[in-house]
Amino acid sequence: MLNSVGTENSIGRCLLCSVLGPLLFIVYINDTDDQINSRLLKFADDTKIYFKVNSPENIERLKEDLCKLVSWSKEWQMLFSVEKCKVMHLGYDNPHASYFMDGNRLQVVSEERDLGVIMSEDLKLEKQCVVVVKQGNKMLGMIKRNFYRATHMHSADYAVARCLSVCPTLWDSA
């Protein structure tokens, strides 16, 4: 009797922790954009800051916002991994300014993989398409090598379609 109660309590505690952990993290980081003038996107422990930069005043505004983010992270002891932080300049009229976090110059990149999608500074998705087609071809080759009967072809169709459905809106020609 005690073992079953102990087991239920420990299972209940694990479920409670698995639900409360992400919720408390969201509450914890929810005020990061209170003092920020730029736009901020947060997904799990990933933060993106962006702003239309077309004048020296806007460059300074973005730099100030980066300083505010760094000071917030120090205050709450949740430091950014500056070596993982990168800058991507979008648009043709972008002045390509240098940005710093905590005294370190941020690396400028022309493309970046984010949540499985490769984005480039010209906003073209050619490299993403190439990667997805390669994955589909690999899956199709594996299926052809390992399944000889036509009865398994419906599973082959499913496996390749699943591989190609990473970003279905990218493939929509309409």
Side-chain angles (χ1 to χ4, degrees), residues 17-174:
C17 292
S18 67
V19 171
L20 275 182
L23 180 64
L24 290 175
F25 181 75
I26 290 169
V27 169
Y28 191 68
I29 67 164
N30 198 36
D31 68 336
T32 53
D33 50 355
D34 285 350
Q35 303 296 322
I36 305 296
N37 296 316
S38 303
R39 302 220 180 213
L40 206 64
L41 296 174
K42 298 174 275 190
F43 181 77
D45 64 343
D46 191 26
T47 304
K48 291 173 194 54
I49 185 169
Y50 65 97
F51 187 70
K52 183 177 181 178
V53 177
N54 54 5
S55 69
E57 295 83 23
N58 290 346
I59 292 171
E60 287 306 312
R61 183 174 168 184
L62 187 56
K63 286 181 178 181
E64 288 172 8
D65 287 343
L66 284 171
C67 289
K68 289 176 186 176
L69 275 177
V70 170
S71 64
W72 177 90
S73 71
K74 287 180 179 178
E75 178 183 344
W76 289 98
Q77 298 177 359
M78 284 190 62
L79 302 178
F80 286 99
S81 298
V82 180
E83 62 276 357
K84 292 181 181 180
C85 296
K86 299 174 184 167
V87 175
M88 183 183 292
H89 299 286
L90 302 175
Y92 296 105
D93 61 345
N94 194 311
H96 295 275
S98 297
Y99 296 98
F100 295 85
M101 282 184 79
D102 205 20
N104 298 316
R105 184 177 183 181
L106 297 180
Q107 176 188 0
V108 177
V109 295
S110 60
E111 67 180 37
E112 183 67 21
R113 185 181 189 117
D114 184 37
L115 300 175
V117 178
I118 300 172
M119 294 300 298
S120 63
E121 63 185 354
D122 59 2
L123 297 177
K124 293 184 180 174
L125 298 170
E126 294 170 8
K127 292 191 178 183
Q128 175 67 27
C129 294
V130 168
V131 167
V132 172
V133 168
K134 281 183 182 178
Q135 289 175 347
N137 284 335
K138 283 181 186 178
M139 180 68 67
L140 191 58
M142 187 272 306
I143 290 169
K144 283 183 178 180
R145 283 189 304 275
N146 293 308
F147 296 105
Y148 298 108
R149 294 185 184 153
T151 58
H152 298 291
M153 289 314 288
H154 67 280
S155 61
D157 290 342
Y158 171 74
V160 174
R162 189 173 147 252
C163 186
L164 293 176
S165 69
V166 174
C167 263
T169 55
L170 299 178
W171 311 111
D172 190 11
S173 60

